[in-house]
């Protein structure tokens, strides 16, 4: 049977999120090592990490909210603002930029009627720049949800979006 810390609070987290974080804690000796996984659990259920949830996770892991905020803002796949149902990351590293990521970004934003870094009015899409997706030999690279798309062209993007 899982036990919760004395200072445990349900405020800000659902019972499911708490249970999943507690299960993750069983794999590590140090609670801070679970920080990213705990934030990913919250994001899996809500699509983003609100302040209330971040504070509750910090309390659960016995770390300061500021320390957890540092983790959350360092990793660019943790969203601290609401995002659309589909999140598109456009790599803007030097290689992707040299091979047209800016033009892809502009075309995507126009096609989906959304500003870069914003959520579309209908809540369907968010397009975010990302520093590097680690596939420079196949630039430009786009990530739609968890799928990495290599050697992207505007036509290839349109075909994917029209599916």
């Amino acid at each position: 049977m899982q036990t919760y810390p004395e200072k445990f609070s349900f405020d800000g987290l659902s019972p499911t999120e708490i249970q999943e974080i507690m299960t993750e804690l069983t794999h590590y000796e140090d609670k801070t090592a679970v920080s990213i996984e705990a934030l990913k659990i919250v994001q899996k259920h809500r699509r983003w990490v609100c302040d209330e949830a971040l504070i509750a996770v910090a309390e659960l892991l016995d770390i300061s909210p500021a320390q957890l905020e540092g983790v959350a803002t360092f990793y660019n796949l943790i969203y601290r603002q609401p995002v659309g149902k589909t999140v598109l990351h456009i790599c803007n590293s030097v290689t992707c930029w040299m091979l047209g990521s800016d033009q892809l970004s502009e075309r995507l934003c126009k096609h989906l009627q959304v500003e870069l870094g914003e959520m579309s009015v209908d809540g369907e899409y968010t397009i975010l720049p990302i520093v590097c997706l680690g596939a420079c030999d196949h630039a430009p690279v786009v990530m739609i949800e968890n799928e990495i798309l290599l050697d992207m062209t505007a036509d290839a993007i349109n075909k994917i979006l029209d599916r």
Side-chain angles (χ1 to χ4, degrees):
M1 171 131 188
Q2 202 69 45
T3 59
Y4 298 121
E6 285 180 27
K7 294 180 359 181
F8 180 73
S9 169
F10 283 97
D11 293 341
L13 295 175
S14 72
T16 302
E17 291 168 328
I18 293 165
Q19 186 58 51
E20 288 180 24
I21 292 169
M22 295 308 289
T23 299
E24 197 64 37
L25 276 168
T26 64
H27 303 295
Y28 299 90
E29 290 182 25
D30 180 5
K31 290 181 176 183
T32 59
V34 183
S35 298
I36 295 170
E37 291 306 317
L39 293 168
K40 287 169 62 178
I41 287 168
V42 170
Q43 186 167 286
K44 176 182 75 177
H45 291 282
R46 303 166 187 230
R47 300 207 44 82
W48 71 292
V49 180
C50 65
D51 289 345
E52 182 181 58
L54 183 131
I55 292 167
V57 169
E59 185 176 339
L60 191 62
L61 300 180
D62 289 328
I63 61 177
S64 74
Q67 185 180 1
L68 191 59
E69 176 72 17
V71 172
T73 55
F74 179 79
Y75 292 96
N76 49 18
L77 295 178
I78 300 294
Y79 309 129
R80 291 290 283 129
Q81 298 180 32
V83 294
K85 291 178 184 172
T86 302
V87 179
L88 297 94
H89 290 272
I90 299 176
C91 182
N92 64 0
S93 68
V94 170
T95 306
C96 285
W97 175 76
M98 288 174 50
L99 294 173
S101 65
D102 280 356
Q103 291 80 13
L104 278 178
S105 178
E106 288 174 22
R107 190 160 177 173
L108 267 173
C109 288
K110 186 176 179 180
H111 183 84
L112 299 175
Q113 299 178 342
V114 62
E115 295 293 323
L116 185 64
E118 303 285 327
M119 181 170 46
S120 61
V121 174
D122 62 3
E124 288 294 320
Y125 297 101
T126 298
I127 302 174
L128 299 170
I130 192 164
V131 175
C132 186
L133 289 170
C136 297
D137 57 330
H138 290 282
V141 181
V142 173
M143 184 168 76
I144 300 178
E145 292 299 313
N146 293 321
E147 182 182 5
I148 301 288
L149 305 170
L150 308 171
D151 305 309
M152 290 310 303
T153 64
D155 290 339
I157 290 278
N158 288 343
K159 286 179 185 173
I160 291 165
L161 295 174
D162 291 339
R163 290 192 249 182

